[in-house]
Amino acid sequence: MKLSSTFVLDAFEQADPYDEVDGVPLARAEIRKTFSGDIVGTGAVQMLSARSADGGAGYVALERITGTIGGRKGSFALLHIGTMSDGATWGRWPVVPGSGTGELAGLRGEGTIEIHGDGTHAFHLDIELPPTAG
């Protein structure tokens, strides 16, 4: 099943860097999101990042999305990994195996995002969900 949603950042709270060497800081951020589209719900993210003076960056994060997919309610966790360099981005967002709860138990898959010039974000998730009981 291929899903598409948009999300808005409700909060992006970045702490002061916890380490820095030669102008490359390592930092933590807490992010809150609201999803609409095929996924309706909220996301809570804890992110670690590194950013260089020349614009290169990388991050890892864990996100829990809580909401509804196709009328099925629950939550699941995503692992984020991504880089940015010279305007190009790369990323993978696999679903953490076994992290699905409620009616989303057993969810498997992987997602990607697109960041548009106007600041909006599109989220695409290719998943498998076990059939509902009954």
Side-chain angles (χ1 to χ4, degrees), residues 30-109:
E30 183 174 321
I31 304 164
R32 300 277 179 202
K33 303 175 181 177
T34 299
F35 289 86
S36 58
D38 293 335
I39 300 170
V40 176
T42 59
V45 183
Q46 291 289 318
M47 180 178 76
L48 298 174
S49 65
R51 183 172 301 274
S52 67
D54 69 1
Y59 74 98
V60 295
L62 279 173
E63 176 174 14
R64 180 175 312 281
I65 295 176
T66 303
T68 305
I69 296 174
R72 294 170 69 167
K73 295 180 182 181
S75 69
F76 60 96
L78 289 174
L79 173 66
H80 301 216
I81 182 170
T83 60
M84 295 168 267
S85 180
D86 298 323
T89 60
W90 172 87
R92 291 189 62 188
W93 293 23
V95 172
V96 175
S99 67
T101 68
E103 296 170 315
L104 300 179
L107 182 143
R108 298 183 333 196

